[in-house]
Amino acid sequence: MGKTLFISDLDGTLLGKDSRVSSRSVEMINRAIGAGALFSVATARTPSTVSFLLRDIDATLPFIVMTGAAIWNPSSGLYTRKVTMDEDVALRVLDTIRTHRLPAFIYTLSDNIIDIYHMGHLSEMEKKFIAERADSGFKRFHIPEDGCSTLPERLKDVALFYAMQPSAHVQATVGDVREIAGCNPVFYHDMFGPETGIMEVFSARASKANALRWLKTHTGADKVVAFGDNINDIPMLREADVAVAVANAVDEVKEVADIIIGPNTEDSVARFIMQY
């Protein structure tokens, strides 16, 4: 029998409505891993929150983080793979964001630390975002009270531009960023409401799909079963051999899924893995 690799998105998929992995899901996934199952996750989150959220999972494989811009090993605390933007591409993205006056974070990834900068006035949502992550040993924030960071002399090692602002403002910016060759912009609505738009801009070489392909080769798996709920999961689901959407997934995800299971609030991913 061939080896199957299970890869799950986190927010809205594996995580419940409290943004945690339930004790029941932890128990089932650990039983599956103990029986030889290959399990990993693919998330927009960084190691700082992933390490906390999955601390009770008996992980044996590296995790896909930052929507595929990096693969991180929870056992060693080191990055196994990093995909950053070419410097000229990063500068063009930066200029476009500035033209639209869109407040945004800039994540650079060198060695094993994420350095985070910011352009524009900080909203209350962004301040809360920073406060929840400020004590992480995986990140360094270089953001003054006014939100306008002094950027590095050279804009290299950029893994991600990230914005969370009113949807219309974000969507207009993403439209122009899409004209820049060499980058991969993603737009979607915040899971808590359509009034907030999320923009993620990566290298064109960075995606959950490319990272999934790498992990499949790395593990020697014959088949990949992927789980997701939102727009940024679609490339990964299309790359997988079996695409699984949770019941609470957006319609676009359900359209590309081979199987639709129960909602994220009912341990549906863990139950599927145990039954597979």
Side-chain angles (χ1 to χ4, degrees):
M1 175 182 275
K3 294 191 293 184
T4 299
L5 171 62
F6 299 94
I7 298 185
S8 178
D9 171 57
L10 288 183
D11 292 274
T13 305
L14 181 63
L15 304 186
K17 63 182 178 182
D18 59 351
S19 296
R20 296 287 187 272
V21 185
S22 74
S23 58
R24 180 63 178 148
S25 281
V26 168
E27 178 191 350
M28 287 189 283
I29 290 171
N30 283 344
R31 278 167 53 200
I33 292 172
L38 301 175
F39 174 79
S40 184
V41 300
T43 177
R45 291 177 179 265
T46 64
S48 61
T49 52
V50 173
S51 61
F52 172 75
L53 292 170
L54 302 183
R55 65 193 184 281
D56 295 325
I57 299 291
D58 298 331
T60 59
L61 299 180
F63 297 149
I64 297 169
V65 297
M66 299 175 72
T67 316
I71 294 179
W72 177 76
N73 193 322
S75 299
S76 65
L78 303 177
Y79 289 92
T80 304
R81 182 175 186 262
K82 295 181 285 187
V83 183
T84 56
M85 278 187 212
D86 293 339
E87 188 173 358
D88 62 324
V89 174
L91 286 170
R92 291 186 63 192
V93 173
L94 179 67
D95 288 344
T96 302
I97 292 173
R98 279 178 170 158
T99 298
H100 282 268
R101 299 182 182 276
L102 179 73
F105 294 95
I106 304 170
Y107 288 58
T108 65
L109 180 54
S110 58
D111 299 323
N112 284 289
I113 292 290
I114 298 172
D115 288 294
I116 304 177
Y117 305 86
H118 188 267
M119 298 185 300
H121 176 73
L122 281 170
S123 68
E124 291 304 313
M125 181 182 293
E126 288 175 317
K127 289 177 183 177
K128 181 180 178 183
F129 179 86
I130 294 169
E132 290 173 348
R133 295 158 175 81
D135 295 331
S136 167
F138 299 96
K139 296 177 179 177
R140 289 186 298 230
F141 285 91
H142 306 268
I143 303 175
E145 289 187 10
D146 66 0
C148 296
S149 299
T150 300
L151 300 183
E153 186 174 339
R154 290 186 58 195
L155 204 62
K156 63 177 184 177
D157 299 321
V158 173
L160 168 67
F161 288 93
Y162 180 82
M164 51 168 79
Q165 296 293 329
S167 287
H169 194 179
V170 176
Q171 199 159 17
T173 307
V174 171
D176 283 348
V177 172
R178 286 201 175 108
E179 301 299 317
I180 302 172
C183 71
N184 174 26
V186 180
F187 169 81
Y188 56 97
H189 291 111
D190 184 82
M191 63 182 292
F192 298 110
E195 63 278 359
T196 299
I198 304 295
M199 179 187 75
E200 299 173 345
V201 187
F202 305 92
S203 163
R205 302 182 302 276
S207 70
K208 285 186 178 182
N210 287 343
L212 179 152
R213 202 176 298 123
W214 183 93
L215 196 55
K216 182 179 181 181
T217 300
H218 173 77
T219 59
D222 302 288
K223 180 186 291 187
V224 176
V225 177
F227 305 84
D229 76 303
N230 214 331
I231 298 296
N232 64 345
D233 296 317
I234 289 176
M236 172 178 73
L237 295 175
R238 285 180 171 153
E239 181 67 26
D241 299 287
V242 180
V244 184
V246 286
N248 52 286
V250 298
D251 290 341
E252 295 91 332
V253 169
K254 291 179 179 177
E255 287 171 6
V256 303
D258 300 304
I259 301 170
I260 298 176
I261 58 176
N264 66 313
T265 53
E266 296 180 3
D267 303 306
S268 300
V269 170
R271 291 181 189 278
F272 183 91
I273 293 172
M274 283 297 296
Q275 295 168 3
Y276 190 81

